[in-house]
Amino acid sequence: GIAVILGPVGENFAAGMTGGMAFVFDPRNELTVKLNQDSVVPVRLKSQYWEQQLLRLIEEHAAETGSRHAKRILQQWDITQGQFWQICPKEMVSRLKHPLSDEPAAARA
């Protein structure tokens, strides 16, 4: 599954995460100090596919809940999209149908 977190996370976030994907809104750039990176890969959005998935989920959330916070994120998407982290378990990276980055593999190495 996919989780979208629009608020702060606690210490040791993603400890033991073995499947799925998480998108975390991090406007204060605090996630990396709270993240347990033993089993996950954190990346900023680098894929059009995954950005569109995230955008769709936030739009759905805003429509269903009336969340003003989600609506603000959407209204300022040109800024806020760069404040999201995509968290993927290391064991899942090679199994994803769509890579975490649109960059060619050689450029990522």
Side-chain angles (χ1 to χ4, degrees), residues 1 8-9 20-21 27 30 41-43 49 57 61 63 65-66 68 86 94 97 105-108:
V9 299
M21 175 107 41
E30 299 172 338
V41 174
V43 296
Y49 173 82
L57 289 167
H61 171 68
T65 67
R68 291 181 302 197
Q86 184 174 8
S94 64
K97 266 182 134 172
R108 292 190 304 255

Side-chain angles (χ1 to χ4, degrees), residues 78-97:
D78 57 326
I79 296 168
T80 58
Q81 64 91 18
Q83 297 172 334
F84 276 91
W85 287 98
Q86 184 174 8
I87 311 299
C88 183
K90 291 177 181 177
E91 66 188 38
M92 296 300 297
V93 172
S94 64
R95 295 192 231 162
L96 294 172
K97 266 182 134 172

Side-chain angles (χ1 to χ4, degrees), residues 25-94:
F25 183 56
D26 184 28
R28 294 186 180 147
N29 205 25
E30 299 172 338
L31 180 68
T32 55
V33 297
K34 295 180 177 183
L35 183 66
N36 183 323
Q37 295 187 42
D38 290 344
S39 61
V40 297
V41 174
V43 296
R44 292 292 189 179
L45 288 175
K46 296 180 181 179
S47 160
Q48 276 295 114
Y49 173 82
W50 290 111
E51 181 180 343
Q52 290 307 308
Q53 295 301 308
L54 172 60
L55 189 57
R56 181 185 56 78
L57 289 167
I58 298 171
E59 288 170 341
E60 185 178 310
H61 171 68
E64 290 185 12
T65 67
S67 168
R68 291 181 302 197
H69 181 53
K71 288 177 184 176
R72 277 192 303 274
I73 289 170
L74 293 169
Q75 289 168 345
Q76 300 173 359
W77 189 248
D78 57 326
I79 296 168
T80 58
Q81 64 91 18
Q83 297 172 334
F84 276 91
W85 287 98
Q86 184 174 8
I87 311 299
C88 183
K90 291 177 181 177
E91 66 188 38
M92 296 300 297
V93 172
S94 64

